[in-house]
Amino acid sequence: MKKVIVTVLANDRPGILASVSEAIFQEGGNLDQVSQTLLETQFAGLFIATLTQELSVEELQARLRKTLSPHGMDVLVKPIGEPDTTGVIPSEPFVITCFGPDRKGLVAEITAILARHKVNVTNLRAIFEGGDDPARNLMIYEVDVPVSTDTATLSEDLRTRAAELSLVINIQHRNIFESITRM
């Protein structure tokens, strides 16, 4: 058995998840994980499946495209190898929220600082509706911070750049963030 990741992009409408999951099932795939989101009017879905039939990745992609493309869905299939756990760096989960006036390059500015500190972004949700209303421009980063990282220096670097950009930034361990947001 082998694992694959199926990426589907389409104009959003009801029934996309049903169509994709049925198509993968019909080709002998068992879904392991699904993640989907909407960005404006666009559906984006990632489906990790274990194949229970002998089928090449190219053949699976061709079959899924034949089934799903007539319904306006773009499909890409890639194999997933065994995870390389030799280079795993011990880390702690944090949540970074950032809001303020919109301008070009905000994500690039914040992620460059995170990259310098070897912080891995595991999830990002960013909404930029423009203007100076902070509530209309929000970035929420879920990150893994290596335990070897000086979190005080990371926090200071983020806060300094955020202040220069007139942004408000909050950095919290995920456990604290979840406790506060539950209240």
Side-chain angles (χ1 to χ4, degrees):
M1 289 194 280
K2 60 185 164 195
K3 285 190 176 212
V4 296
I5 184 164
V6 179
T7 304
V8 177
L9 301 173
N11 290 326
D12 187 42
R13 62 176 169 72
I16 293 175
L17 284 173
S19 296
V20 174
S21 59
E22 176 65 22
I24 292 171
F25 170 72
Q26 290 299 322
E27 299 303 335
N30 185 36
L31 292 178
D32 298 336
Q33 294 182 39
V34 176
S35 180
Q36 67 107 114
T37 192
L38 298 177
L39 297 174
E40 295 190 4
T41 61
Q42 299 301 302
F43 170 94
L46 301 170
F47 304 78
I48 293 180
T50 299
L51 300 181
T52 58
Q53 298 178 10
E54 284 303 317
L55 194 63
S56 73
V57 169
E58 294 78 16
E59 192 172 350
L60 174 62
Q61 182 168 281
R63 289 182 181 187
L64 291 176
R65 283 182 173 169
K66 183 177 180 182
T67 302
L68 300 172
S69 291
H71 303 286
M73 295 181 225
D74 295 321
V75 178
L76 175 66
V77 179
K78 291 183 66 175
I80 296 178
E82 291 295 319
D84 179 11
T85 57
T86 57
V88 175
I89 299 170
S91 61
E92 291 282 332
F94 280 76
V95 176
I96 300 169
T97 56
C98 188
F99 55 92
D102 189 19
R103 70 175 277 219
K104 291 181 181 178
L106 289 177
V107 172
E109 297 264 0
I110 300 301
T111 55
I113 295 169
L114 297 174
R116 279 198 306 272
H117 288 274
K118 309 289 186 217
V119 173
N120 188 35
V121 178
T122 58
N123 194 19
L124 168 61
R125 180 154 176 96
I127 300 169
F128 302 106
E129 295 180 348
D132 292 333
D133 181 358
R136 296 174 54 105
N137 306 299
L138 173 68
M139 296 179 280
I140 303 173
Y141 296 86
E142 294 179 44
V143 299
D144 286 338
V145 178
V147 293
S148 60
T149 296
D150 180 346
T151 54
T153 302
L154 169 64
S155 180
E156 181 60 30
D157 288 352
L158 287 168
R159 291 183 197 286
T160 298
R161 190 63 187 134
E164 293 167 355
L165 298 169
S166 301
L167 301 173
V168 175
I169 196 164
N170 294 303
I171 306 148
Q172 297 172 313
H173 192 280
R174 186 170 57 203
N175 294 343
I176 295 170
F177 178 83
E178 290 174 351
S179 295
I180 291 172
T181 55
R182 270 190 231 137
M183 294 172 48

